[in-house]
Amino acid sequence: MTHRVAVIGAGLAGLSCARVLRRAGAYVEIFEQERVIGGRVGTARIGVVPFDHGAQYITARSERFKSYIEELAATGYAARWNARAGSGEGGAGQMLPWYVGTPGMGSIARPLAESVRINTGCRVHTIKRLEKGWHLWFEDQTSAGPFTQVAVAVPAPEARLLLGRLDELAEPLARVRMSPCWALMVRIDERVLPEQDVFSDMSQVVRWVSRNNSKPGRAGRGETIVVHASPVWSRETEDADPEAVAEELWGEVSHVLGLPPIRPAQMVAHLWRHGLVDTHLGETYLFSREHQVGVAGDWCLGRLGEHAFDSGALLGKAMNEAIK
Ligand SMILES: Cc1cc2nc3c(=O)[nH]c(=O)nc-3n(C[C@H](O)[C@H](O)[C@H](O)COP(=O)(O)OP(=O)(O)OC[C@H]3O[C@@H](n4cnc5c(N)ncnc54)[C@H](O)[C@@H]3O)c2cc1C
């Protein structure tokens, strides 16, 4: 009989886990708190203008992820970004090719969602195993279940909350450290940035600036710019008003790049509360055979999209083997 699996979180980890389970014959349902899928590999819009406000590009080291990215490139969902960079930075001369989703980073995640039922706008606040299987409760007090297995594919601090008393899974997660990251999206009617497309580690405040419109498939008038603040500054300001953060970050970028005093046409700051991994778990995933619940995410293996993908895929494989 087809077994029912719930996956919490529609980022790269949750989606790659779901794909492996679905291909092995399980009925898979994903529950995602946001209205869109992709998590930190996402594309936000200010009006009609798209910005890659999370992951900037993707690299692929494992054969598993390489073959997925090649599949995407062959079908038009991804392309190489030969960014012009300063010395020591990636771009055209980097060791590993940089790939981006086309027309936005969200396209890296979207093809994984095929044949899987996705429920968006569903923030899970409790999971519990009852007599017939796992049940999930949402913030609006509705629930879903029973499921034979559950995969929790959310940032480690959120996973700890959901796993509660399941100490064998919750305790190791205490080792993981994640930092917030402010992302600033700026649209300017003229071209203002100096020649490079990416700038990194520019000051105590600004960690990354990129010319979003230099990525393949994003041409347009003027300039779309994505700025990421440093983890330290982001932590100091995580409760600040986003408009004040936007002003301060743009002021800092203008200062360090020596830009003329230009008022952006649009400017929005977004906080990734658990954005970047400082200390990872050092294991590919965690799975309890006894309870039939597992956890995956970038924070298991590292801090990159490729780590999330591999962690999710290998959790899916382990869950599938545990049900045979
Ligand atoms: C600013 C920034 C820049 C980055 N740059 C790069 C880069 O250039 N290259 C690179 O490879 N990586 C980069 N990364 C890292 C990369 O984005 C992540 O490693 C990867 O996207 C993590 O995927 P994930 O599935 O583990 O987690 P996520 O993408 O965070 O997915 C988790 C999902 O779970 C959902 N969720 C959380 N809690 C609940 C709940 N209770 N109920 C339901 N849903 C829930 C979230 O909404 C989210 O969609 C960057 C990250 C950030 C924040």
Side-chain angles (χ1 to χ4, degrees):
M1 203 179 89
T2 305
H3 68 285
R4 286 164 55 91
V5 185
V7 175
I8 306 172
L12 272 184
L15 290 166
S16 72
C17 179
R19 184 168 82 151
V20 168
L21 287 161
R22 178 74 204 97
R23 286 184 169 178
Y27 170 81
V28 184
E29 245 185 275
I30 302 191
F31 299 91
E32 165 59 48
Q33 65 185 4
E34 301 294 340
R35 296 269 158 218
V36 290
I37 64 169
R40 282 172 278 154
V41 174
T43 310
R45 281 179 190 276
I46 304 181
V48 293
V49 183
F51 290 85
D52 302 325
H53 60 327
Q56 295 296 291
Y57 60 87
I58 289 293
T59 45
R61 288 168 181 81
S62 73
E63 288 308 318
R64 183 179 307 99
F65 195 52
K66 256 190 223 163
S67 90
Y68 176 62
I69 292 297
E70 278 161 16
E71 215 179 284
L72 292 188
T75 48
Y77 284 103
R80 262 188 89 156
W81 180 30
N82 295 315
R84 290 170 300 170
S87 56
E89 184 55 65
Q94 77 267 27
M95 301 290 284
L96 288 168
W98 287 5
Y99 286 96
V100 294
T102 47
M105 283 303 277
S107 302
I108 298 283
R110 215 165 299 123
L112 294 169
E114 259 171 43
S115 309
V116 176
R117 180 158 175 199
I118 302 193
N119 306 278
T120 53
C122 290
R123 179 166 166 84
V124 180
H125 75 70
T126 306
I127 61 171
K128 204 168 184 182
R129 201 178 191 191
L130 303 177
E131 205 184 316
K132 291 198 171 139
W134 283 98
H135 290 256
L136 277 48
W137 279 267
F138 309 106
E139 287 204 323
D140 63 0
Q141 304 308 321
T142 58
S143 65
F147 296 97
T148 319
Q149 297 176 311
V150 181
V152 178
V154 304
E158 306 253 7
R160 270 185 88 192
L161 294 178
L162 288 174
L163 293 164
R165 298 209 191 108
L166 277 174
D167 289 345
E168 73 180 280
L169 300 185
E171 269 178 21
L173 302 198
R175 299 203 298 267
V176 178
R177 293 273 173 269
M178 296 184 77
S179 292
C181 180
W182 278 108
L184 175 66
M185 296 163 264
V186 182
R187 185 173 72 76
I188 299 180
D189 290 329
E190 307 133 66
R191 300 243 155 174
V192 290
L193 289 185
E195 277 305 290
Q196 282 167 232
D197 297 322
V198 299
F199 306 82
S200 59
D201 293 324
M202 304 161 64
S203 74
Q204 306 266 2
V205 175
V206 177
R207 186 170 159 265
W208 170 269
V209 178
S210 72
R211 193 195 310 267
N212 200 78
N213 53 295
S214 69
K215 296 179 178 182
R218 289 139 168 107
R221 212 167 41 84
E223 203 105 88
T224 53
I225 299 168
V226 173
V227 179
H228 288 154
S230 71
V232 172
W233 191 83
S234 296
R235 188 165 299 287
E236 279 167 9
T237 54
E238 68 183 320
D239 296 320
D241 167 36
E243 281 183 24
V245 166
E247 291 291 341
E248 197 158 334
L249 271 178
W250 183 245
E252 178 73 7
V253 170
S254 303
H255 171 68
V256 290
L257 288 180
L259 303 183
I262 282 176
R263 185 81 209 145
Q266 283 171 312
M267 186 158 81
V268 171
H270 169 86
L271 180 70
W272 295 103
R273 194 158 297 273
H274 304 296
L276 303 170
V277 181
D278 296 325
T279 310
H280 67 271
L281 184 69
E283 294 178 53
T284 310
Y285 58 82
L286 295 175
F287 178 65
S288 162
R289 222 171 217 280
E290 184 192 345
H291 299 289
Q292 294 293 323
V293 57
V295 251
D298 59 343
W299 50 268
C300 286
L301 281 169
R303 54 182 298 143
L304 299 174
E306 58 183 306
H307 298 133
F309 181 93
D310 285 345
S311 171
L314 289 165
L315 172 62
K317 191 161 173 270
M319 288 171 74
N320 186 45
E321 278 160 11
I323 208 79
K324 281 180 188 159

